[in-house]
Amino acid sequence: MEIPSSTSIPSIMKAWVYGEYGNVSNVLKLDSNVTVPQVKEDQVLIKVVAASINPVDAKRMLGMFKVSDSPVPTVPGYDVAGVVVKVGSQVKRLKVGDEVYGDINEKALDHPNRFGSLAEYTAVEENLLALKPKNLSFAEAASLPLVIETAHEGLERTGFSAGKSILVLGGAGGVGTQIIQLAKHVFGASTVAATSSTSKLELLKSLGADLAIDYTKENFEDLPEKFDVVYDAVGQCDRAVKAVKEDGSVVTIVGPITPPAFIFVLTSNGSVLDKLKPYLESGKVKPVLDPKGQFPFSQTVEAFSYLETSRAVGKVVIYPIP
């Protein structure tokens, strides 16, 4: 794509903005008069080509963690893919013209950026970004950072390693589709089991699940087999703890928690994307985009409505961003 020179970077851009907390359909508005963010020393300015949305965006918009949030007005959006158009004075690795992707908020719930990725431009710390794998489109790349980094960090925190077994709750969601793939193809799991509704069982198997469990027909905690790790991506912690081996681990990303399970909040880091790049380039690990889940920039509110049905498979992406 054509890269604007620094002289042609506008001072004003279009962005989705909310000035108060509430439901997406009530508070999120397209604003054509938003100031393009200034670049700090350790940041790059990205011309956004694609973004993806996550449940955390809607929860943040509702004010569910306003105590630790940055003040409104806010441009939402954690995941970005685009082209570097300007670099700060301390930037070492990236240069103008680089195609990059990443989760732009280092601490997901602790003062996330006021200028997110649902905009024509966004400023991001260099260490949160990685070069986009050449075989991925911008839309595919934008679908990955938050979910693949969350999947990876949760597996690392449980001490997951080759030869262990895992049960993934919510295997067809944004995070779940990546946990299955990383557990199987990166960490070397002996057995990957995962839950979903009937229509999504084949997808789970195609991603590497050895056992696809239809949660509409059977209770995973009644299986005779117990697992070294249970990764709960949907908020079923009270049941998850019944499916783990005595010396195993249960990790969740959705509260409340039932001991001995633990919960964590992602710390974004571009080095994780760099580490996983060979698996993405070889096709062993793939982005999973919902078949209906690519919405143009003008339909961002509709994209959130679709995400909130909880029927999306994999990720919902905003593309193209003009």
Side-chain angles (χ1 to χ4, degrees):
M1 64 173 288
E2 197 175 329
I3 301 150
S5 67
S6 56
T7 52
S8 67
I9 297 169
S11 57
I12 300 295
M13 65 176 180
K14 286 185 186 145
W16 286 93
V17 183
Y18 57 94
E20 59 183 329
Y21 291 118
N23 284 315
V24 174
S25 54
N26 295 334
V27 299
L28 191 62
K29 310 288 181 207
L30 186 58
D31 188 337
S32 301
N33 204 27
V34 177
T35 303
V36 171
Q38 294 295 309
V39 175
K40 295 176 184 161
E41 288 181 343
D42 61 343
Q43 291 183 325
V44 301
L45 187 68
I46 296 173
K47 171 65 193 80
V48 181
V49 180
S52 73
I53 59 175
N54 296 283
V56 68
D57 290 299
K59 290 175 181 175
R60 182 185 178 194
M61 218 176 301
L62 281 168
M64 288 173 72
F65 50 93
K66 64 171 89 170
V67 177
S68 62
D69 201 358
S70 303
V72 292
T74 299
V75 175
Y78 284 63
D79 286 321
V80 71
V83 180
V84 175
V85 293
K86 190 176 183 181
V87 299
S89 59
Q90 299 298 312
V91 168
K92 308 269 193 309
R93 199 168 41 93
L94 298 175
K95 61 188 187 301
V96 170
D98 282 346
E99 297 182 350
V100 294
Y101 72 132
D103 169 359
I104 70 170
N105 291 309
E106 183 171 15
K107 301 287 185 189
L109 308 183
D110 184 5
H111 297 90
N113 287 339
R114 291 181 63 195
F115 289 97
S117 58
L118 292 173
E120 293 180 282
Y121 293 88
T122 192
V124 188
E125 287 75 18
E126 179 185 36
N127 67 318
L128 304 184
L129 297 169
L131 292 172
K132 178 179 78 64
K134 291 200 166 32
N135 58 316
L136 298 186
S137 68
F138 282 104
E140 289 172 326
S143 77
L144 283 168
L146 184 143
V147 292
I148 205 168
E149 290 180 41
T150 299
H152 184 270
E153 185 173 335
L155 290 166
E156 292 261 286
R157 282 172 175 260
T158 64
F160 197 72
S161 57
K164 290 189 175 180
S165 62
I166 186 170
L167 170 62
V168 183
L169 305 183
V175 176
T177 50
Q178 295 304 323
I179 302 167
I180 293 170
Q181 295 184 84
L182 296 190
K184 191 72 175 180
H185 305 305
V186 178
F187 286 81
S190 59
T191 305
V192 177
T195 64
S196 75
S197 58
T198 316
S199 63
K200 300 170 185 173
L201 297 173
E202 288 307 315
L203 169 71
L204 305 190
K205 291 176 190 168
S206 73
L207 296 173
D210 304 289
L211 176 63
I213 302 161
D214 185 342
Y215 68 71
T216 69
K217 294 181 181 160
E218 54 185 330
N219 293 323
F220 62 81
E221 65 269 42
D222 296 338
L223 290 170
E225 185 179 359
K226 302 301 175 193
F227 299 87
D228 294 309
V229 169
V230 181
Y231 197 141
D232 169 26
V234 285
Q236 297 176 327
C237 203
D238 55 331
R239 296 170 59 199
V241 295
K242 296 174 185 168
V244 71
K245 290 180 182 174
E246 272 190 29
D247 56 350
S249 298
V250 179
V251 59
T252 186
I253 51 173
V254 187
I257 56 170
T258 304
F262 68 92
I263 192 168
F264 77 97
V265 176
L266 172 67
T267 301
S268 169
N269 191 333
S271 66
V272 174
L273 299 176
D274 285 329
K275 175 183 168 183
L276 296 173
K277 190 175 184 182
Y279 298 94
L280 291 163
E281 289 187 329
S282 69
K284 281 187 175 168
V285 176
K286 303 179 179 71
V288 181
L289 277 65
D290 184 273
K292 297 182 210 158
Q294 191 163 294
F295 290 80
F297 190 57
S298 60
Q299 290 180 16
T300 296
V301 172
E302 290 87 341
F304 273 107
S305 298
Y306 182 60
L307 182 68
E308 285 171 359
T309 65
S310 298
R311 292 200 189 100
V313 176
K315 288 299 301 285
V316 176
V317 174
I318 309 298
Y319 173 85
I321 295 178

